[in-house]
Amino acid sequence: MNIKKNDTVIVLSGKYKGTKGKVQVVLPKEDKVVVEGVNIATCHTKPRKQGDQAGIVKRETPIRACKVALFCAKCGKGVRTHAKIEGDKKTRVCAKCGAEI
């Protein structure tokens, strides 16, 4: 999986197609990611402890990792990446323009 926490991604398909967001959680065993502002579900919660607030809460739910692509600011769209090795440091670069992601 080439997507990591705090990466900026763009959604490729589905209801939220074209939406950009920051990755909050990566679930590699399930091959899913949680993206800020994408795939929002309404959850009805009840208070578990005294003083907790009950009601309707909106939260992001996981989306398949294959439906998102890393966003390159220079290209302005979702791109694939290549690894570039300089000395002992390995970085991800855009496959189209060569900009570091």
Side-chain angles (χ1 to χ4, degrees):
M1 187 182 268
N2 63 344
I3 299 169
K4 300 185 184 339
K5 187 177 178 181
N6 294 328
D7 282 345
T8 303
V9 294
I10 188 164
V11 181
L12 300 175
S13 64
K15 181 180 174 182
Y16 295 94
K17 182 179 179 178
T19 306
K20 287 188 290 185
K22 197 173 190 180
V23 176
Q24 295 177 334
V25 179
V26 178
L27 307 166
K29 287 186 179 178
E30 299 172 25
D31 197 35
K32 293 185 178 187
V33 292
V34 176
V35 182
E36 183 179 3
V38 174
N39 205 22
I40 297 173
T42 305
C43 301
H44 297 263
T45 60
K46 63 192 238 183
R48 297 291 176 193
K49 294 183 252 172
Q50 188 175 7
D52 278 359
Q53 189 69 22
I56 299 170
V57 178
K58 294 188 183 232
R59 65 173 66 140
E60 291 93 1
T61 55
I63 186 171
R64 294 288 306 262
C66 63
K67 294 184 180 276
V68 297
L70 284 169
F71 183 77
C72 177
K74 191 174 178 184
C75 293
K77 55 186 172 181
V79 294
R80 294 180 178 170
T81 60
H82 291 291
K84 186 177 181 183
I85 301 169
E86 293 178 2
D88 59 343
K89 191 176 179 187
K90 186 176 178 182
T91 58
R92 293 178 296 169
V93 295
C94 174
K96 293 190 178 195
C97 66
E100 193 172 310
I101 296 178

